[in-house]
Amino acid sequence: MEPSMDEFVLFANRLADASGEAIRPWFRIKLDVTDKGTGRAGFDPVTEADRQAELVQRQLIKETYPRHGILGEEHGPEPGEDYHTWVLDPIDGTRAFICGMPQWGTLIALNDGTSPILGVLDQPVTRERWVGRTGRTDFVSEGRTTQISTRACADIASAIVTTTHPTGYFTKPESDAFQEIAAAAKMTRYGGDCYAYGLLAMGFVDLVIESALKPWDVQALIPIVEGAGGLFTSWTGGDAQNGGRVIAAGDPRVHAQALEILGRVP
């Protein structure tokens, strides 16, 4: 019998607990940082914390669901015999991590072969966790679990907009489109990586706009945003699970307005 969603949620929380234990000792200490030399932004850092946390997660998956596949940022793909695949990013926001900033997190997704059906965003230092599934997203902090939702936002002029970096991940046409939206918005903030999507799901941010992302950057975040009532698509309104140019919005009205601008980018 196939495990239930509740069983998968419990296991995803186990993965987050285990990776958090592996990561916390490395935070705000002097680390050896390796530049993987990939990605549009140039400097693409990885640390031993990234590698060890993903290895811990992989071992747990192999012990518990040996037929499932695994796709992780640091140790690559391991196809499974089952259609389920766990998609892992042990530290999304490594640049923030190595600077001692808390705007990063561990991303854990379960993809059923069609789309991500479960997502966890865990911040193991602040001990905050977002768990998203169909129809529901929970925020866990200080032992309390609260169901969260996005907020209403009628238009870009009313929106708080964010991206990880205003130029580092965008081409010139992409940056121009983002700046057009930013200029019209109520407020724009930079930084945050995955953490910004958690804030959107809680109703503190209205739009997150990014480019050049990978599957492990987004798959956990899609159920979190959508489970809270938001939208997570490509810049043309399509499926975002493979990364690339993505937009998350808390309200379909502001999402539609932003797509009018972003959809013009060649």
Side-chain angles (χ1 to χ4, degrees), residues 21-209:
E21 289 295 325
I23 291 168
R24 275 190 291 272
W26 298 93
F27 187 56
R28 290 183 179 166
I29 68 169
K30 293 182 179 180
L31 288 171
D32 290 329
V33 179
T34 301
D35 183 3
K36 291 187 287 187
T38 60
R40 184 182 291 176
F43 180 54
D44 189 10
V46 63
T47 71
E48 193 60 25
D50 299 77
R51 298 189 188 97
Q52 289 301 318
E54 186 173 314
L55 287 174
V56 166
Q57 291 177 316
R58 284 174 177 265
Q59 184 61 36
L60 268 176
I61 293 167
K62 291 174 183 178
E63 291 172 358
T64 310
Y65 298 114
R67 293 173 56 84
H68 287 193
I70 304 172
L71 173 61
E73 178 177 12
E74 306 307 337
H75 298 285
E78 291 187 51
E81 301 173 21
D82 186 276
Y83 55 86
H84 289 99
T85 298
W86 294 90
V87 184
L88 310 173
D89 190 345
I91 301 178
D92 182 82
T94 302
R95 292 170 181 80
F97 182 84
I98 64 178
C99 292
M101 298 175 180
Q103 291 86 8
W104 52 271
T106 297
L107 297 178
I108 301 162
L110 178 62
N111 192 301
D112 69 356
T114 301
S115 62
I117 58 172
L118 167 64
V120 173
L121 160 57
D122 186 61
Q123 215 307 341
V125 175
T126 62
R127 298 181 189 269
E128 299 170 304
R129 185 173 298 174
W130 291 257
V131 182
R133 54 197 284 190
T134 302
R136 183 183 182 98
T137 295
D138 291 323
F139 177 65
V140 184
S141 178
E142 298 181 348
R144 296 178 57 190
T145 299
T146 306
Q147 186 173 354
I148 58 174
S149 61
T150 62
R151 67 182 174 194
C153 181
D155 50 38
I156 293 173
S158 305
I160 295 176
V161 181
T162 186
T163 192
T164 297
H165 196 282
T167 58
Y169 300 92
F170 291 135
T171 64
K172 181 61 166 59
E174 290 169 349
S175 179
D176 290 344
F178 175 81
Q179 293 299 338
E180 182 178 345
I181 293 171
K186 180 168 69 175
M187 188 170 81
T188 303
R189 298 291 296 171
Y190 299 125
D193 291 279
C194 61
Y195 201 83
Y197 297 86
L199 296 176
L200 184 143
M202 297 178 80
F204 293 109
V205 172
D206 302 295
L207 286 172
V208 183
I209 300 169

Side-chain angles (χ1 to χ4, degrees), residues 10-27:
L10 287 172
F11 179 68
N13 278 290
R14 281 183 61 202
L15 289 178
D17 290 342
S19 61
E21 289 295 325
I23 291 168
R24 275 190 291 272
W26 298 93
F27 187 56

